[in-house]
Structure formats: C-alpha cells, structure tokens
Amino acid sequence: MNPTLRSLTALGWLCLSMLCGCAAAKDQPGVSPLRVMTYNIHHGEGLDGKLDLPRIADLIKREGADIVALQEVDKGMERTARRDLGAELAALTGLTCVFSNNYSIQGGEYGNAVLTRFPVKQATNTHFVKVNEIEQRGLLQLVLDVRGRDLVLMATHIDHRR
C-alpha cells in the first residue's frame, strides 16, 4: 500500500475510533445508538448493471442507518435519465438529502450526498486541489442537530489512483 493511502486509511480508522469511543450509547440507559453508514452507490447501478434505487433504499432501511454518506451520486445527468438520485433515495428512505456537486458532466451534476434523519443546521462543500485530470473530488461537511447536540459530519470520496 502506498504511504498516502496508508495515511488516509489510518486517519479513517482514527476518526472511526474516536466516533465509536465517545460516550457509547449502549452505556447510557434510554439512549439509542447512532447508526452511520457509507455507501458508494455507483450512480445507482448494482453489480448486475441495473439502476435500482429501491434496492439501495431497502438496504439502507434494513441497516437502520440514521446517517448515510453517499458517493458517486448523479443529479440531472444524461446516463441516469436526468434523475436526482439523492432526492429519490431520500423519498424512498424517509430521510433528508443534502447533495454536493463536485463537477458538472453530461448536462448534470456529480458528487457526494448525505441522507440523514437529523435536522441539518449547516452544509458546505469544499473542492480538493486537483492534482491530475481525473474527476474533481470534494468534502461535504454538515453540522447536524443530533439529539440537541451539534455533530460535524464530513463525507468524501477519495480516489485510489495517484
């Protein structure tokens, strides 16, 4: 594994450890755990090559996720019939969607999104510095009101290529 990827992996585990280590809900009577997931939806297309948002929504609902970071989300793009995939997944799951455009392509937008059951207090998207001609990447940052406390959530899709 190259040093950059190793560092990013370590950072990811550190952030996850910090999140999991903070006042675990299982130790607090009457407080339900916070379920967070990440899902690269590959513009809604499954391994079978079919665009199937209900299948993705069913998985999210089955997992009982409170917050879902989504990568490779199309909005108004030609390849997905100009659909707004984040909004459709929000409707199918009963969650709220915040979409961030990282670059425009095929007459639409392409980027990251977050589905959440918590109120969104603030949302920003910061584009990373492009180091090559590969697609633009970004960091979607939300401030959520989670049970009366602010939670900062950061979602991104980092490329595996140099």
Side-chain angles (χ1 to χ4, degrees), residues 41 43 70-75 85-86 99 109-113:
I41 66 167
H43 60 270
L70 302 172
Q71 301 85 41
E72 299 190 19
V73 181
D74 285 10
K75 182 176 182 180
L85 303 188
F99 172 81
E109 300 172 307
Y110 183 69
N112 301 311

Side-chain angles (χ1 to χ4, degrees), residues 111-144:
N112 301 311
V114 170
L115 300 176
T116 179
R117 70 179 71 259
F118 301 109
V120 178
K121 294 174 80 173
Q122 184 179 4
T124 58
N125 187 47
T126 304
H127 287 164
F128 293 130
V129 173
K130 279 183 83 169
V131 295
N132 55 35
E133 293 306 312
I134 312 268
E135 66 191 50
Q136 176 68 57
R137 303 294 176 146
L139 176 72
L140 174 57
Q141 181 175 315
L142 303 179
V143 178
L144 303 173

Side-chain angles (χ1 to χ4, degrees), residues 51-69:
L51 187 104
D52 190 348
L53 293 184
R55 176 172 50 191
I56 293 170
D58 287 344
L59 175 74
I60 291 168
K61 290 190 292 189
R62 240 186 352 263
E63 291 300 320
D66 298 302
I67 303 168
V68 186

